[in-house]
Amino acid sequence: MTATDPLVSTEWLAANLGKPDIKVVDATSKLPGMLPLPKDDYLAAHIPGAVFFDVDAVSDHSNPLPHMFPHPEQFGRDVGALGIGNDDTVVVYDSGGWTAGPRAWWMFLSFGKDVRILNGGLKKWVAEGRKVESGQVTPAPSTFKAKFDARRVRSMQQLVANLSSRAEQVIDARSNERYQGKVAEPRPGLRSGHIPGSLSLPFNNLFNAATGEMKPLEELRAAFVGAGVNLDAPIVTSCGSGISAAVLTLALYRLGVENPALYDGSWTEWGAADGPPVATGPV
């Protein structure tokens, strides 16, 4: 079983905001080409004291795939530059559509730091009339020592091997239309469809669009079971580029699933023209 539920409420954050050991992180991300840029949204309005965690910057720049996990040394250096140390209590949020808050959470967890996620994100915070500020926050640097836990991430080679072994269930967080191959991928040059044998559970089925809050545990459990997932067997999550898959990973973690791994390259890697086999149609 997993430990403490990572989610915290807006009420909790409001009561603890400003304490020296509470570090707030805006991790909002968007698909390529969407404007305004996430950093510009952050500069326009963010929770007071929040720093900006750029998932594209905190990544392996030697890899042509988008925002792949960096080496531990880089993660520690980049996070330390945000003023975050190993002993701080970190609260991550995004714009409210679960756009990279869970990805940042999973990265922190994979590098040895248990952090929290603001349920509902900035959307709920603003809807409640809570204070925001604009401009850049430049904290004093801190020291963060990262240690990577490889169990939490899967490579394409591991997923290819899984095609025959089926040792792990693969769950696709993209829309069902993308999963079935009915629509073109938003990133040009990618094939349409899904990893053979994978299951479909669009990530937006796991939260309330009106409030931005993740659904109750019993509804999360029903969503996975309804998608054909065996919660007692090993699970890997996947999506377009390793961002929304973490929403599924977070929900599984909250349900007590042990180490639900994430396929970092996801469809951006698998769906390449020279990639592994692709399936289309429904589950």
Side-chain angles (χ1 to χ4, degrees):
M1 296 292 288
T2 49
T4 307
D5 190 333
L7 295 188
V8 296
S9 67
T10 50
E11 292 79 9
W12 183 92
L13 182 58
N16 288 277
L17 195 64
K19 293 181 178 179
D21 64 335
I22 301 291
K23 303 299 174 66
V24 184
V25 175
D26 184 324
T28 300
S29 180
K30 297 180 180 180
L31 285 169
M34 292 185 66
L35 297 174
L37 296 173
K39 181 62 178 290
D40 292 333
D41 284 341
Y42 161 82
L43 292 172
H46 56 260
I47 293 175
V51 294
F52 184 69
F53 182 98
D54 187 338
V55 295
D56 289 310
V58 187
S59 67
D60 181 0
H61 301 295
S62 68
N63 194 316
L65 295 170
H67 41 254
M68 295 290 282
F69 270 53
H71 294 290
E73 295 77 16
Q74 181 192 341
F75 187 83
R77 181 177 66 250
D78 291 349
V79 167
L82 295 177
I84 297 170
N86 293 86
D87 294 330
D88 289 322
T89 297
V90 179
V91 180
V92 175
Y93 75 88
D94 55 38
S95 60
W98 299 94
T99 55
R103 168 72 181 197
W105 160 77
W106 195 241
M107 290 179 73
F108 271 100
L109 198 60
S110 299
F111 286 109
K113 176 65 176 172
D114 191 8
V115 305
R116 301 288 174 257
I117 303 179
L118 181 64
N119 196 12
L122 187 64
K123 178 177 182 175
K124 187 170 187 290
W125 183 271
V126 170
E128 294 170 345
R130 302 187 189 276
K131 183 181 178 181
V132 296
E133 65 181 16
S134 60
Q136 180 73 37
V137 174
T138 307
S142 188
T143 299
F144 188 93
K145 295 182 179 179
K147 184 178 180 181
F148 181 57
D149 183 355
R151 299 174 305 164
R152 302 187 186 278
V153 180
R154 294 290 180 272
S155 67
M156 185 172 71
Q157 291 74 22
Q158 289 172 307
L159 268 291
V160 169
N162 192 64
L163 290 177
S164 56
S165 72
R166 297 296 169 93
E168 296 181 309
Q169 302 165 96
V170 180
I171 315 175
D172 193 324
R174 297 174 300 154
S175 70
N176 191 256
E177 290 78 11
R178 289 172 66 187
Y179 170 89
Q180 292 198 45
K182 291 182 175 180
V183 296
E185 284 293 303
R187 290 179 173 83
L190 297 181
R191 296 172 293 167
S192 297
H194 59 267
I195 297 172
S198 62
L199 302 171
S200 175
L201 179 53
F203 78 99
N204 56 3
N205 289 358
L206 302 182
F207 64 89
N208 184 322
T211 66
E213 294 175 289
M214 186 165 273
K215 291 181 177 179
L217 293 180
E218 60 271 18
E219 294 184 32
L220 296 180
R221 186 179 302 277
F224 282 101
V225 172
V229 178
N230 178 2
L231 293 172
D232 295 320
I235 296 170
V236 179
T237 62
S238 180
C239 61
S241 66
I243 297 288
S244 60
V247 182
L248 272 59
T249 307
L250 170 62
L252 290 164
Y253 189 92
R254 296 187 64 219
L255 288 169
V257 173
E258 184 68 24
N259 190 39
L262 184 146
Y263 173 26
D264 199 17
S266 283
W267 197 252
T268 303
E269 181 176 39
W270 193 282
D274 58 350
V278 166
T280 57
V283 176

